[in-house]
Amino acid sequence: MPKGKIKITEEFCKGCQLCIQFCKQGCIEISSDRYNPNGFLLPDFVNEDDCIACGICAWMCPECTIDVYKYIEE
Amino acid sequence: MSERLLVSGNNAVARGAIQADCKYFFGYPITPQSEIPEYMSKELPKIGGVFVQSESESGSIYMVYGGGLAGARIMTSTSSPGFSLMAEGISYLAEQEIPAVIVNVMRMGPGIGTGGQGGQTDYLQVTKGCGHGGYKNIVLAPSSCQEIFDQMQLAFYLADKYRGPVLVVTDFILGEMEEIINIKTHEFGSLPPKEWALTGKDKRGGERAIHVAAFFSYLGILNYHMKQIEKYKNIQETEVRYDTYLTDDCDMLLVAYGSSARIARGAVDMGRAKGYKLGLLRPITLWPFPSDALVQHAKKAGKVLVIEDSQGQLVEDVKAYLDSDIPVHLLGMWGRHNAGGGGIIHPERIIEEVEKING
Amino acid sequence: MDNNLAKMKKVAGKPKIRVASLGMYCPGCHYGIISRVICEVIEELGVEGKAIGLAGVGCSFGGAPMTIDIDWTSCPHGRAPAMATAIKRIHPDATVLTVQGDGDLGAIGLGCFMNALLRGEKLTTIFLNNAVYGTTGGQMAPTTLLGMKTTTTPVGRTIETNGYPLHLPEIAATMKGVAYAARCTVHTPANFKKAKKSLKKAIQKQIDGIGYGIVEFVSACPPGWKLDPLQCLDYISEKMLDEYPLGEFKNVDKIE
């Protein structure tokens, strides 16, 4: 059951892959051929079910371009 | 009834600044102006001000830069070798358009010079922007303790009005001599509030102020320089100051500033008593230079004698403005009465030169 | 835009005072992460309206002022501590921070910095140590490691030619006017959290009027090191931290 979800503002991404490196759950992978208009190879949020909304990908993104959301319990 | 005090020129610098509501001084000792930081260190804490002795003149000018950015009236003072260290900082002040007053109590140069005695060897440096980039500073050259006191107040006003550094140049003689001055606050006009100053967003209703190299922050390269060219043109049209003495009917125009002008004025009186029709043009703003007045009086007189305690620096500007058919003579530092550090040009020596020129 | 986001709470994202923009930093530069540390600490301490930042020359220049929404000025090379001294003396209730790189603080600016420490100014300096001069193309810095190749040490830094690397927080810790001196990194999430704690302590020393605070961040410079962003993380763990140990070198609540 996914606990969270991320959203990457792709226009500011610089393809550094730090988010991929630090996601302990393996939710983020480098895409094979998705580039932004600046020419940077973009990451994909795959394995959505494993996201625990820890926020680490957001902290480590040098461009502050990742938002992390947690599902609200009802 | 205003207060009258016997003060030295250096003391008049400090008193003039405090009279202009300057409460912050960042400086470093150097002969012959150490009395200025010493006085400031004593007096500023009494009026809620701050005195910081910096680690060097580089430290001083960058403290002045920070203080100016913070929106306060701030100043520093130094002598020629220290002034060279400040040149980079003054270039930054000019670029960022930060008001500041910098006093250069000139001493003989270049290098360490005589270690602190008389000379007027910084004319070219102070009038040609003194640092990299081709900017101009307003340069005031008082020639009495009263003028020093008054022009310090004017300097703060001009710095705020035009948003940039203003230099006040005196020298060893002016700095150490003592004269009676009238203590008076001069009003020069209203000034806009410093909304650009760094104070923290709270004091500006939440909007931030950024000062990141003028070119990047707001104007772009060309627009920035066009604005500066316009500003300098405006200053040249509005802020020229000079004094004349017996120039209406003179047939030799003496040109001198600062301490040399005092001696030249004595020479005019001495010469007139002997029947020589001498007159004196004394630039008060070395930049903007009183070129119109120079051309007008020099043409009328027919010949010019520049007197300065240097190798010949003011004379370059005088020659540049005059047609080649007006002879320009120079009595420089070789006119001193002895070859030592305490040498001084006497009025009698100027008369000798006049007689030589007249044949 | 995903409709599911409406049933969710945002737990991490751009700090409030981080200006959303394509930053001037190279991909993988830690400056962006350090900028987040600075933003979050300023927000948590509630000093956003009183903060005045001074950026040195180098990558600090274009980066910090453009990405953090507080008052900023850029400074001539090495002179930020002198400028900050004046600003703090004129606005004692402001929170005055300098952000400087290796050359700015450790080479040309060493004199200004040491004297500001001697005076015990109530300031905070954020020192970015990436062992090279990044902006100008990767030349040697005072913090370049022995044996490290840069564009001005093509065969590697040697003791004979260039002496030893500079350890600034350790030196600062010996000076009386310093209340806090520490070194940290942001190359792992755990270190990111420790770095925030350190910076918070350093700025609190200023707010409490105790003394100078300096926090050094050992950080990556992918173009300068000629490594990709992920290789830089290993270089920090394996090489940089050997020379530059992390930790607090001074932390006092009162200067006797």
Side-chain angles (χ1 to χ4, degrees):
Chain A
M1 189 57 213
K3 293 214 186 108
K5 197 182 185 85
I6 73 169
K7 189 178 154 306
I8 301 175
T9 305
E10 291 180 343
E11 68 177 292
F12 297 147
C13 175
K14 287 200 178 134
C16 70
Q17 304 191 24
L18 288 181
C19 53
I20 298 171
Q21 170 81 6
F22 289 113
C23 176
K24 284 187 292 219
Q25 304 292 106
C27 297
I28 313 176
E29 279 174 12
I30 195 69
S31 69
S32 53
D33 60 0
R34 278 195 329 110
Y35 294 88
N36 68 9
N38 294 312
F40 294 113
L41 187 60
L42 292 166
D44 283 328
F45 181 51
V46 303
N47 301 338
E48 199 178 306
D49 288 346
D50 293 338
C51 177
I52 56 170
C54 66
I56 285 175
C57 56
W59 305 350
M60 302 307 287
C61 172
E63 304 305 316
C64 293
T65 198
I66 302 179
D67 291 333
V68 179
Y69 296 86
K70 194 168 185 165
Y71 282 106
I72 301 167
E73 273 169 52
E74 274 157 48
Chain B
M1 184 65 196
S2 67
E3 202 187 348
R4 282 158 58 82
L5 286 176
L6 177 66
V7 300
S8 68
N10 283 339
N11 196 250
V13 164
R15 286 181 185 270
I18 291 176
Q19 203 75 17
D21 214 27
C22 165
K23 293 195 161 72
Y24 301 97
F25 181 94
F26 307 100
Y28 190 76
I30 181 171
T31 309
Q33 61 83 58
S34 301
E35 294 92 331
I36 302 175
E38 284 167 2
Y39 182 83
M40 288 300 207
S41 72
K42 236 178 11 167
E43 296 303 314
L44 287 181
K46 292 183 195 166
I47 57 171
V50 173
F51 167 85
V52 180
Q53 180 172 309
S54 59
E55 62 273 19
S56 72
E57 288 85 354
S58 317
S60 309
I61 194 64
Y62 296 110
M63 290 182 189
V64 161
Y65 185 11
L69 276 166
R73 279 194 161 181
I74 41 54
M75 70 166 288
T76 186
S77 64
T78 187
S79 184
S80 312
F83 188 70
S84 283
L85 282 179
M86 294 189 178
E88 184 202 36
I90 296 173
S91 177
Y92 279 78
L93 285 166
E95 178 209 0
Q96 294 285 111
E97 300 191 281
I98 306 299
V101 172
I102 298 122
V103 175
N104 179 10
V105 181
M106 287 189 287
R107 69 191 219 181
M108 176 71 68
I112 203 142
T114 56
Q117 290 158 332
Q120 290 186 307
T121 41
D122 291 347
Y123 176 89
L124 285 175
Q125 184 185 29
V126 300
T127 54
K128 308 304 172 205
C130 80
H132 66 284
Y135 60 93
K136 294 277 194 272
N137 304 311
I138 296 176
V139 184
L140 298 173
S143 97
S144 68
C145 293
Q146 184 70 60
E147 278 203 343
I148 292 172
F149 180 79
D150 296 339
Q151 286 178 23
M152 281 301 291
Q153 298 179 56
L154 175 63
F156 283 100
Y157 170 75
L158 293 175
D160 283 344
K161 178 178 179 189
Y162 292 102
R163 275 189 61 178
V166 172
L167 309 181
V168 178
V169 302
T170 66
D171 59 34
F172 165 72
I173 295 175
L174 288 170
E176 299 300 334
M177 71 181 200
E178 295 192 1
E179 289 183 310
I180 293 182
I181 64 171
N182 290 315
I183 303 290
K184 180 178 184 281
T185 306
H186 292 280
E187 300 298 335
F188 298 104
S190 64
L191 291 163
K194 294 181 180 175
E195 276 150 3
W196 47 266
L198 291 179
T199 54
K201 287 193 305 193
D202 278 351
K203 294 186 185 171
R204 212 179 303 102
E207 283 300 307
R208 71 181 180 137
I210 325 180
H211 291 264
V212 174
F215 302 167
F216 300 147
S217 64
Y218 63 102
L219 284 175
I221 301 172
L222 263 190
N223 285 341
Y224 168 79
H225 275 294
M226 296 319 292
K227 178 174 180 255
Q228 301 310 306
I229 290 171
E230 200 48 48
K231 176 159 90 168
Y232 294 142
K233 198 157 134 257
N234 188 14
I235 295 174
Q236 282 171 302
E237 285 162 8
T238 330
E239 304 296 348
V240 167
R241 286 166 173 81
Y242 61 91
D243 190 30
T244 55
Y245 182 58
L246 301 183
T247 50
D248 286 340
D249 66 337
C250 70
D251 60 20
M252 183 183 297
L253 181 71
L254 306 189
V255 183
Y257 71 95
S259 54
S260 294
R262 302 174 66 93
I263 300 166
R265 192 182 164 107
V268 167
D269 287 337
M270 212 178 263
R272 287 268 173 177
K274 284 181 146 188
Y276 306 140
K277 290 212 204 143
L278 303 179
L280 170 67
L281 171 69
R282 176 170 74 88
I284 294 175
T285 49
L286 302 184
W287 193 89
F289 190 81
S291 49
D292 290 345
L294 170 69
V295 167
Q296 179 203 345
H297 291 288
K299 274 200 171 126
K300 220 170 19 164
K303 47 178 146 21
V304 172
L305 170 60
V306 175
I307 294 134
E308 52 175 328
D309 193 9
S310 78
Q311 321 89 325
Q313 298 186 22
L314 165 64
V315 69
E316 286 187 17
D317 271 353
V318 169
K319 281 189 176 157
Y321 287 115
L322 295 179
D323 290 332
S324 53
D325 60 346
I326 298 179
V328 176
H329 303 271
L330 168 66
L331 181 62
M333 60 175 51
W334 47 90
R336 288 172 158 222
H337 78 295
N338 74 42
I344 193 169
I345 303 173
H346 287 163
E348 290 84 350
R349 178 65 183 84
I350 298 177
I351 299 300
E352 249 180 62
E353 196 69 19
V354 169
E355 285 167 350
K356 229 191 315 175
I357 293 167
N358 285 337
Chain C
M1 196 54 200
D2 200 319
N3 284 336
N4 281 343
L5 290 177
K7 299 190 194 89
M8 310 184 80
K9 177 176 87 163
K10 186 149 93 170
V11 295
K14 184 182 77 62
K16 183 168 133 249
I17 61 171
R18 171 64 146 95
V19 176
S21 61
L22 189 64
M24 281 174 62
Y25 307 125
C26 301
C29 171
H30 291 183
Y31 220 127
I33 311 175
I34 293 162
S35 162
R36 170 185 286 274
V37 171
I38 299 172
C39 286
E40 290 187 4
V41 168
I42 288 177
E43 285 170 25
E44 286 167 24
L45 288 172
V47 293
E48 161 197 347
K50 300 197 295 188
I52 299 176
L54 292 94
V57 162
C59 299
S60 310
F61 192 97
M66 295 312 168
T67 57
I68 303 177
D69 187 20
I70 60 175
D71 275 3
W72 278 100
T73 181
S74 60
C75 310
H77 207 14
R79 312 304 184 182
M83 292 171 63
T85 295
I87 294 177
K88 183 76 183 185
R89 297 297 187 112
I90 291 169
H91 298 303
D93 57 344
T95 301
V96 182
L97 315 165
T98 78
V99 181
Q100 303 175 258
D102 335 68
D104 204 85
L105 196 64
I108 186 170
L110 206 52
C112 265
F113 180 57
M114 287 295 153
N115 279 279
L117 297 181
L118 274 177
R119 286 192 299 270
E121 300 293 340
K122 316 290 183 285
L123 297 169
T124 314
T125 288
I126 293 151
F127 172 43
L128 275 98
N129 170 5
N130 60 11
V132 287
Y133 285 0
T135 312
T136 43
Q139 297 83 16
M140 186 193 83
T143 45
T144 297
L145 305 177
L146 288 175
M148 188 172 177
K149 292 192 177 144
T150 69
T151 62
T152 47
T153 57
V155 297
R157 179 180 188 158
T158 62
I159 296 169
E160 293 77 28
T161 310
N162 300 114
Y164 302 88
L166 172 69
H167 293 76
L168 263 185
E170 289 92 326
I171 296 172
T174 64
M175 296 171 81
K176 213 154 177 202
V178 172
Y180 188 82
R183 180 182 289 117
C184 53
T185 77
V186 289
H187 80 299
T188 66
N191 275 296
F192 174 94
K193 287 167 86 164
K194 284 191 200 155
K196 263 187 72 170
K197 288 205 177 93
S198 269
L199 184 58
K200 213 167 185 177
K201 285 188 202 172
I203 297 180
Q204 194 65 50
K205 304 288 180 198
Q206 178 181 160
I207 295 170
D208 296 340
I210 302 170
Y212 210 110
I214 167 173
V215 180
E216 174 181 318
F217 286 78
V218 172
S219 40
C221 177
W225 295 357
K226 310 233 187 312
L227 298 172
D228 72 41
L230 299 180
Q231 290 170 326
C232 284
L233 300 175
D234 293 332
Y235 194 84
I236 292 180
S237 318
E238 289 157 20
K239 296 266 172 57
M240 293 286 279
L241 296 187
D242 262 353
E243 179 68 43
Y244 298 114
L246 303 178
E248 284 181 0
F249 303 99
K250 188 173 187 189
N251 180 1
V252 299
D253 289 324
K254 199 165 154 206
I255 294 180
E256 307 290 314

